[in-house]
Amino acid sequence: MAEVGIFVGTVYGNALLVAEEAEPLLVAAGHQVKIFEDPTLDDWKRYEKQVALVITSTTGQGDLPDSIAPLFRAIKDSLGYQPALRYGVIALGDSSYDDFCGAGKKFAELLQDQSAVRVGDVLMVDAAENPEPEELTSPWVAQWAKLIS
């Protein structure tokens, strides 16, 4: 089974709620899991040969929340190449904004550019249609847990 770091970018707590709902599902599938609410580059590096799950909301014009923006910049500026990393992304957003789920899309694109291996599709959750994101994210996580085994 895998070691999974869940890296959370949240403003109002929805992404953290999704992470907290995901953790027991991953543990039940036999994985070791740790949630990082204010993740650092050192936290990220511990999983460079493991599995990372990025769960982030989107702020402003498709921007990353303050809790995860420094990690994004550090990965972009410091790492460059991560072929041993497997990852998934859950992007939370609101389709009434132009850059729907922009933060999650940016994270997925960065990791793809750095040759990390995405497991499963990026899950984009629209707050306008799904005010309780875990209704979509929990089934996705349960399936994703099988893919990373």
Side-chain angles (χ1 to χ4, degrees), residues 76-148:
K76 186 175 182 179
D77 296 343
S78 303
L79 297 183
Y81 187 59
Q82 302 185 73
L85 175 71
R86 295 183 297 151
Y87 72 95
V89 175
I90 297 176
L92 306 179
D94 185 327
S95 61
S96 66
Y97 290 89
D98 289 338
D99 200 351
F100 172 61
C101 288
K105 290 176 185 175
K106 286 176 185 173
F107 230 110
E109 185 178 298
L110 172 64
L111 297 176
Q112 181 179 344
D113 289 348
Q114 294 188 348
S115 298
V117 178
R118 190 179 79 223
V119 178
D121 292 328
V122 173
L123 177 63
M124 292 186 277
V125 180
D126 184 356
E129 293 182 18
N130 302 95
E132 303 211 7
E134 64 277 4
E135 291 176 359
L136 288 181
T137 61
S138 291
W140 184 94
V141 168
Q143 181 61 33
W144 189 77
K146 296 174 189 171
L147 298 175
I148 61 172

Side-chain angles (χ1 to χ4, degrees), residues 23-125:
E23 182 180 25
L25 296 171
L26 291 165
V27 169
H31 303 294
Q32 294 180 2
V33 182
K34 183 163 170 96
I35 296 173
F36 297 93
E37 291 182 53
D38 289 298
T40 66
L41 186 59
D42 286 340
D43 296 331
W44 184 267
K45 286 180 175 180
R46 286 188 211 132
Y47 293 88
E48 64 189 355
K49 293 185 179 159
Q50 303 297 330
V51 181
L53 177 57
V54 176
I55 302 175
T56 185
S57 57
T58 300
T59 66
Q61 300 299 314
D63 299 323
L64 291 149
D66 289 342
S67 63
I68 202 167
L71 173 64
F72 179 87
R73 285 190 299 276
I75 291 169
K76 186 175 182 179
D77 296 343
S78 303
L79 297 183
Y81 187 59
Q82 302 185 73
L85 175 71
R86 295 183 297 151
Y87 72 95
V89 175
I90 297 176
L92 306 179
D94 185 327
S95 61
S96 66
Y97 290 89
D98 289 338
D99 200 351
F100 172 61
C101 288
K105 290 176 185 175
K106 286 176 185 173
F107 230 110
E109 185 178 298
L110 172 64
L111 297 176
Q112 181 179 344
D113 289 348
Q114 294 188 348
S115 298
V117 178
R118 190 179 79 223
V119 178
D121 292 328
V122 173
L123 177 63
M124 292 186 277
V125 180

